[in-house]
Structures are given as structure tokens and as C-alpha cells.
Amino acid sequence: MTPTPAVGKDTMHQNPPPLTTTTVTVAYAGGDERRGPVTMGQANMIRCILRDDPTHINIHDVWPVPEGTTSAAVTDALRALAVRHEGLRTTFPHPPGATPVDQVVASEGTFTVTVLDHAELPGDPAEYAESVARAARAGRFALEREFPVRITLLTVTGQPAYVALAFSHAVADGSAMAILREEFAELLAGKELPELTSLPPVDLAAVEASPAGLRKSEASLRYWERILRTGPQEMFAEPRGRRPGTDEEARQLTLRSRRGARALAGAARRTGHPEATVLMAAWCALVAHRAGQNSCVTAVPSANRFHARVARSVTTTSQDALLHLDVRVETFDALVARTWGAVLNAYRHSQFDSVRLWEMIDRVTAERGSHFGRDVVFNDVSALPAPLLGTEAQNGGDAEQELVWGPPQALPTRLLAFTYRTAPQLHISLWAAPSVFTPEEAEGFLSGLVLLLEAAAAGDVPMKALAEVTGVRPAERGPDWLRVDGCWVSPDAVRETLGRAVGGLPVRVQVTEASGAEPYLTAYIACGETPLTPTEAHRALTALIPAAGSGVLAPHRYVLVENPPAEPDRSDAWRRLNTIDEGTGRSRQV
């Protein structure tokens, strides 16, 4: 669900044009013609492709070409990959206006290679190649007929230098591109590729549709529903925040740290847990600490290739694993131990029918009176065989620790991280929403992550000492903010949003704090002559919540009265009024 971040500035317009531009048509033949249902991952990405800006959802990569390679060798290798992998020969036929439900694998066909020949590659050649690949992401792929890869070969007086590619996310994800890059290099080196061991998409869809696959999907939906009904709806609920679902433009911040790599290795040795688990625990600890939450909810997009049948499949497996980690433990070591099981649980529940998932999300959040925000995304691609890094990610220096700001991109989350390497440097790129992280705070967050790992390498860290150890301070909220139904809520924001939802009618939101239980909200609405029911009020409010300010959760109960009291700022005055109607407003009682 998360697009691969664009790395590097778009420099095409700054460079002189190539000497010549040629389009070469490459024919391929081999394999069987097949047809079958789409996979769950394909369905998930197709939904995004049909809805989202193509520059956000299409993905890209750059493959360097070894010196001395001929153009014919490049096209032969590309042809071999198309024949080898059914996903690259796949289209998704569907009537206009409909969503594809089937995939068709061609046994033969053609694709084109655009050859840009130069007297010399302008500027930084790798950065230029990156900009060419990224520019090819513009324009929606025609799922029903277009070859799912746009290929540009950059040459210097006829000598290949780079292949710049843009992929449809319906047929490839970051892992698939890494596999293709690795195989492309091996083909150019004259190596014989091993037999395929992972399933092609048509066979993967059959496994997913089997009784065992359907049971797995149902279990995943139940797992997600538990989190959606009980977890925080916004990780970064605070006065300056914006609602999840409202995109912001965030600059890339890249950390390269040999200190961090040594600390992570040391913490893993000391705790006896894998580095990936320690890093995830540190990430969740710091996110929850910064957000002032009792738990961390983070999407883990690269989590669903842990099974051998999809580990090296050239397709898209882009479905989130959703990690919900309770951080209420005494020490960091205890959190690391808890993280291992929580991560495995999230991974086990990362295969699901995405259409049904979003139907469930809509239903549950309407019943809860909330809006689930995919606020935090942590994508660890460091274990991939040839990680999708992009030129900026590959060309790291040798500094003990450096933080480098890069270009901006639209950010549909509040905090997105890609971990590219854990050795010899810890290499993480972070995109932090400016509404909740100033540039100094974003830098402090990544620096604080390294400080936490260094402290964890030296010994167990008390969780209550995170601010002191990392220098990261929790979010500041006004005195009116309180925790309701597991979420940070501003009653003033609820009142203002509900007032707008019911057309400006007078509204009072009362906080009731029951002994030993979380507080709950009751909304009083003075209807006057306006016909209104609790159900209508709730429906109108939930329609506004996705675009409302941070900290808005629907009241637990709506009480409708005729006119506001003479003293509208006093809750007891509202309680003494005659009630016209009252209820939860939900289709399911809460």
C-alpha cells in the first residue's frame, strides 16, 4: 500500500537532450498462456492504481550496465526475464469502469525499449538515470493491455550505461524489482539462472483461494479488526497535527551511521535477538514515546515474503502487516522479547482480501466513530537479496554518522521509514510530516534512535528513561486532551466538528470520568425545529472526521434536546433539559 519513495531530484529538465531517441520493439515467446483470478496483493495494488496519482503508486528502479555490454545483450537479458517470469507477461482485462478480477498471462508478445543515446551522460550520471526512471512513473498504466514495464536504455555513443525502468505496481513491488535486478546482472555476466522455486501469480492466487488460504484471510481480517476496534486511531494525535488521510509534502531525511550499525549489532548480541527484531523494538519504543501512546501501531509492508512460496516470486505481495505493540513494559529488553512474538503475529496476518479489509475498516470505524490512520510505516528492506536502494541510497559516504536532507514528496502517512542497510552502516531514510515534526525534531528522532541502540548495546534501558537517553520529548497536549477509548481526544475539537456536522446547531460535549474506567463522551445537541436523530448526527460526524483536525472521536452517546440552556457552558444545565431523543447513533451498540 505504500509507494516506493522517489529518491533524488528530477534533473531531466536541467540537462541537455540526448543526441538521438530511438524506440526498439523486442519480441518474446515462451511459456504457457494462462488465465486466473488476481492475487490478493494484485487486487490491493490495482485498487490503488485506479485511485491514486500514478507518480505515487508506480515504482521505479535503475540497473547499471557493465562496461562493454552490447545493446543486443541488454535486450536479450530483458527478453529472457519476460519469458522467465509470468508476472511480466500479465495483463488485467476488464470492462471500462470495472475493477479487474482476472489476470491473463501471454505466451508471446512484444515490449518496447526507448534508447536515449548521448555524447556523454550529463551531470551525475547515476542521478540522471534516476531522474529518467522516475519521470517514467508519470501516466497510469493501461492494466488491460500495456506491458507492465516502461524501459529506457541510456547509452553513450551507442554504449549501454544504465537501464531506467518504471513498473506497474500490479505486477511488481520492491522485492520483485530487487530480484529482477539481480537476475539481470547475472544474465549479463553469462550465468545460468536457477530453476524458479516460488509461485507465479496465477498459482499463488489458487493457493490463496484454497480452503486453507481462505481461512488464513479470515484470520487476518479478525486480527486487523481487533486492532481497529481497540488501538489508537492516530499515533500522532496532538493539537498541531493533521488527520491521517490528508497528504503533506515531506522532505527525505537520510541517516548513515556506523555508530548505529555497531550499536545494533551489539544490542542484538547482548539480548540474543535478531537485529531486525531489536531495530523494530527500538523504532516502536521511540514512536510510541514521541507520540505519548501506550502502544505503537505501525504498518510493515515488506513483511509478507517470509514464506518460501513467495520469497522470490516476481509479482506484487504489497499488503501490510499491521504491528500493534504494547510498550507498557519496564525495560527495553522486555520490549524486545515482546516484539518478537508481535512481529510474527503481524506477519501471519498479512494475507487478506483487500476489498473486504477496506469494507471492514469502513464499517468498524463508522461504528467506533473514528478514522483509522495509517500513520506510521516501517519498511525494512535490508535483508533483500539486492535491495531496492536507488542511486542516492547506494552512494553513501564513510562518515561515522551523518544526516542528509533530500527532496520532498507527497506523504500519505505521518512517519515513513525505509531501512536500506544495517551494516556496515545503519542506513535509514525518513519522511516525517511537517505538521508534527519540525526539521530539528525529525533529525532528533533519527539521532535518538541511534542513541537508544547504543544504550541498549551497553545494558538494559528503563523505558521511563527514553527522554533522557534519546533526547526525544513526548508530544505536548493541552489540559483538555484526554484518553478516550484508547485514543487521545480533544473534547473541544469534537464539539467544533460535531457542530459543523449538524449545520451549526448548539452542541455541548460532556466528559464523564467513571471510577476505574476510561472517561466517555456525551454530546448534547439543541435541535430546535430541525429534525434530527442520533443516527443522523453520528453519520454526519463520521463523514467529517477523516478531514477534521486531530483528536476527533465520536461521542459515545448523543442526547437531543429542543433548546440550549440559559447557561450553555454548564453541563448540569444541559442535563436538566427535557430529552427529545438519545442513543449511540451506531448500527452496533458500544
Side-chain angles (χ1 to χ4, degrees):
M1 295 165 78
T2 298
T4 303
V7 183
K9 296 180 180 178
D10 190 348
T11 57
M12 287 191 69
H13 67 284
Q14 302 170 355
N15 296 305
L19 294 175
T20 62
T21 301
T22 309
T23 300
V24 177
T25 299
V26 181
Y28 65 84
D32 299 324
E33 183 175 338
R34 307 180 69 196
R35 186 183 187 112
V38 297
T39 67
M40 292 178 180
Q42 287 171 333
N44 184 42
M45 295 318 303
I46 286 170
R47 177 181 178 275
C48 298
I49 288 168
L50 296 176
R51 179 195 64 194
D52 295 346
D53 184 327
T55 60
H56 296 171
I57 195 63
N58 295 337
I59 54 179
H60 74 280
D61 200 7
V62 174
W63 300 347
V65 179
E67 188 175 350
T69 305
T70 65
S71 294
V74 171
T75 54
D76 285 347
L78 293 169
R79 179 189 293 111
L81 292 176
V83 172
R84 176 175 168 84
H85 296 291
E86 292 186 3
L88 300 183
R89 296 183 274 117
T90 296
T91 53
F92 303 90
H94 60 285
T99 300
V101 295
D102 291 322
Q103 57 181 314
V104 172
V105 181
S107 59
E108 59 183 17
T110 62
F111 59 87
T112 60
V113 178
T114 301
V115 182
L116 304 183
D117 192 36
H118 306 73
E120 60 180 9
L121 292 181
D124 180 334
E127 184 178 325
Y128 170 67
E130 176 80 13
S131 72
V132 172
R134 189 170 57 255
R137 288 166 62 154
R140 209 176 302 276
F141 275 90
L143 294 170
E144 72 281 3
R145 56 179 171 79
E146 187 177 353
F147 187 75
V149 191
R150 296 168 183 159
I151 307 169
T152 305
L153 176 60
L154 305 181
T155 62
V156 180
T157 60
Q159 175 65 47
Y162 294 95
V163 182
L165 309 102
F167 289 79
S168 165
H169 219 329
V171 303
D173 54 17
S175 299
M177 288 195 293
I179 293 163
L180 291 169
R181 181 201 289 187
E182 181 183 52
E183 292 185 349
F184 176 75
E186 290 178 349
L187 287 168
L188 293 185
K191 297 180 181 179
E192 185 174 340
L193 298 180
E195 290 293 319
L196 295 172
T197 55
S198 293
L199 296 178
V202 172
D203 294 336
L204 178 58
V207 170
E208 292 174 344
S210 69
L214 294 175
R215 286 194 297 272
K216 185 177 181 68
S217 177
E218 291 295 328
S220 296
L221 292 175
R222 290 193 297 271
Y223 168 87
W224 276 68
E225 184 166 351
R226 283 196 299 273
I227 296 173
L228 293 170
R229 288 195 181 279
T230 60
Q233 294 296 283
E234 300 173 79
M235 281 304 298
F236 298 106
E238 52 188 273
R240 60 176 170 168
R242 289 160 63 174
R243 285 298 305 189
T246 55
D247 288 7
E248 295 183 63
E249 194 170 77
R251 292 179 65 197
Q252 177 186 3
L253 176 62
T254 297
L255 166 78
R256 292 185 181 90
S257 175
R258 290 185 178 275
R259 285 174 46 196
R262 290 193 298 269
L264 177 58
R269 285 193 301 271
R270 192 187 63 75
T271 62
H273 285 276
E275 288 187 5
T277 303
V278 175
L279 183 59
M280 181 68 77
W283 168 263
C284 288
L286 203 56
V287 168
H289 167 71
R290 164 62 181 77
Q293 300 280 12
N294 292 330
S295 63
C296 176
V297 178
T298 184
V300 191
S302 61
N304 42 13
R305 282 185 177 265
F306 62 95
H307 197 286
R309 65 171 173 249
V310 292
R312 292 186 62 86
S313 182
V314 173
T315 185
T316 184
T317 61
S318 291
Q319 294 187 278
D320 282 344
L322 190 66
L323 174 63
H324 183 208
L325 182 63
D326 191 330
V327 300
R328 289 174 293 184
V329 291
E330 292 296 320
T331 68
F332 182 72
D333 283 11
L335 184 65
V336 173
R338 176 177 288 184
T339 302
W340 173 253
V343 167
L344 289 180
N345 204 24
Y347 286 5
R348 282 197 300 267
H349 296 102
S350 61
Q351 176 187 310
F352 44 78
D353 182 329
S354 60
V355 174
R356 289 190 59 204
L357 175 74
W358 283 103
E359 289 173 348
M360 183 268 288
I361 289 175
D362 289 344
R363 183 184 72 253
V364 169
T365 54
E367 291 170 356
R368 194 178 183 190
S370 60
H371 176 75
F372 172 68
R374 191 171 176 267
D375 256 11
V376 182
V377 181
F378 186 78
N379 208 349
D380 186 347
V381 296
S382 62
L384 295 181
L388 175 67
L389 301 180
T391 54
E392 166 66 19
Q394 294 176 41
N395 300 334
D398 200 39
E400 269 292 282
Q401 182 155 307
E402 65 177 3
L403 287 166
V404 179
W405 285 98
Q409 76 167 45
L411 187 70
T413 68
R414 302 283 79 87
L415 198 65
L416 165 66
F418 271 70
T419 299
Y420 295 111
R421 287 277 188 259
T422 56
Q425 292 179 318
L426 179 60
H427 180 182
I428 299 175
S429 283
L430 183 77
W431 290 259
S435 63
V436 289
F437 285 86
T438 66
E440 294 76 18
E441 287 172 329
E443 291 180 352
F445 187 88
L446 283 181
S447 298
L449 186 66
V450 173
L451 291 170
L452 175 56
L453 292 172
E454 288 181 328
D460 201 359
V461 179
M463 292 292 285
K464 63 183 180 182
L466 285 180
E468 178 185 349
V469 168
T470 67
V472 175
R473 304 295 170 188
E476 294 182 2
R477 301 181 177 92
D480 65 311
W481 284 70
L482 67 160
R483 203 185 299 273
V484 176
D485 193 18
C487 306
W488 280 107
V489 175
S490 165
D492 284 346
V494 174
R495 175 186 52 76
E496 188 274 332
T497 306
L498 179 56
R500 286 192 289 117
V502 296
L505 295 174
V507 171
R508 172 74 179 182
V509 173
Q510 176 186 320
V511 178
T512 301
E513 302 195 36
S515 176
E518 279 194 344
Y520 62 91
L521 304 179
T522 302
Y524 292 87
I525 306 173
C527 299
E529 300 298 318
T530 303
L532 186 69
T533 67
T535 299
E536 290 167 343
H538 182 73
R539 188 180 299 126
L541 174 59
T542 54
L544 288 187
I545 285 177
S550 188
V552 179
L553 191 73
H556 296 80
R557 196 159 193 82
Y558 300 86
V559 177
L560 307 184
V561 299
E562 186 172 357
N563 297 307
E567 298 177 278
D569 292 335
R570 294 183 55 181
S571 293
D572 59 344
W574 286 85
R575 287 196 299 270
R576 288 195 294 268
L577 298 174
N578 291 330
T579 299
I580 299 173
D581 195 2
E582 63 179 309
T584 67
R586 277 84 161 162
S587 56
R588 169 171 163 157
Q589 296 298 299
V590 294

